[in-house]
Amino acid sequence: QAQLVESGGGLVQAGGSRRLSCAASGGTFSSYAMAWFRQAPGKEREFVAAISWSGSSTTYADSVKGRFTISRDNAKKTVYLQMNSLKPEDTAVYYCAAGGGIVVLIASYTAWGQGTQVTVSS
């Protein structure tokens, strides 16, 4: 089983940028699709972005497309989420996940990080 630990969350002003990292241990990192989900207060956890095991394919939620970029470094067993042009509605706890299947579905992931808080002030 993979163990995932997110980092990089914090407070940022609207229009600013932030990069999240998710370090993995255990399992075979390069064999998993990786994803970021987020959950805002009072809302369900929602898909943000995913990247294939090879890094050759990415998928983004419409709400973040063009602003966020997911990437991975298999040698470092780390996945990143570069967040630009942040908006107050991006405020949420961000979770990384490892798994495979239909990338936008929570059920596709078998390992989850604890989450890191991102707060975007207006």
Side-chain angles (χ1 to χ4, degrees):
Q1 296 182 346
Q3 182 175 345
L4 309 175
V5 180
E6 303 97 336
S7 63
L11 177 65
V12 60
Q13 290 187 315
S17 299
R18 197 83 178 183
R19 189 179 77 161
L20 306 182
S21 299
C22 175
S25 61
T28 305
F29 179 78
S30 61
S31 68
Y32 298 119
M34 299 294 297
W36 290 93
F37 287 75
R38 67 187 183 187
Q39 188 165 22
K43 295 185 177 181
E44 296 181 351
R45 189 170 299 189
E46 66 176 355
F47 172 79
V48 176
I51 188 166
S52 65
W53 67 271
S54 66
S56 62
S57 180
T58 57
T59 305
Y60 297 93
D62 288 342
S63 60
V64 306
K65 195 171 186 178
R67 299 189 297 121
F68 291 9
T69 303
I70 188 170
S71 61
R72 66 190 295 165
D73 185 335
N74 287 347
K76 296 181 178 180
K77 295 185 176 182
T78 302
V79 63
Y80 306 94
L81 185 68
Q82 178 65 48
M83 305 183 293
N84 298 327
S85 301
L86 284 162
K87 305 174 181 179
E89 51 262 46
D90 294 319
T91 295
V93 176
Y94 283 72
Y95 301 88
C96 66
I102 303 173
V103 298
V104 300
L105 299 180
I106 291 174
S108 295
Y109 300 92
T110 58
W112 292 82
Q114 189 173 352
T116 186
Q117 176 72 45
V118 174
T119 302
V120 184
S121 63
S122 61

